[in-house]
Amino acid sequence: MASSSDAELTLPDGFPLAPKGCEKPSQKFFDCFTAAGMQKDVADAAAGARGLADCAAPLAAYRKCLAWHERARPQPAAYRV
């Protein structure tokens, strides 16, 4: 079973979306992850996990904004045919 810290170090379902209203947190996370997640060599398999760990605060802001956007988006009306 994964711990809560493992769950936090995953990309959100909406990645790599940057919906309207989430431009700043999205760009902050993308810039941080791009810089921190660079592979040091071809065999560097931990680069992504290291990038997520180094960018935990921008990732949390990005995840929060995506969740807000999902709640704020109007849901389609259900029609019975």
Side-chain angles (χ1 to χ4, degrees):
M1 179 182 258
S3 70
S4 62
S5 62
D6 292 338
E8 292 172 10
L9 293 179
T10 59
L11 292 171
D13 290 336
F15 181 81
L17 297 178
K20 188 173 183 177
C22 294
E23 295 92 351
K24 285 184 180 180
S26 299
Q27 195 58 50
K28 252 186 189 175
F29 171 66
F30 296 158
D31 291 344
C32 180
F33 186 63
T34 299
M38 296 293 280
Q39 287 183 312
K40 295 182 187 224
D41 58 33
V42 178
D44 186 9
R50 187 174 53 252
L52 288 175
D54 290 351
C55 301
L59 175 60
Y62 175 60
R63 188 184 305 273
K64 181 179 178 182
C65 194
L66 285 178
W68 167 82
H69 183 267
E70 185 64 28
R71 285 190 310 271
R73 189 174 69 184
Q75 299 300 316
Y79 292 99
R80 187 170 184 180
V81 182

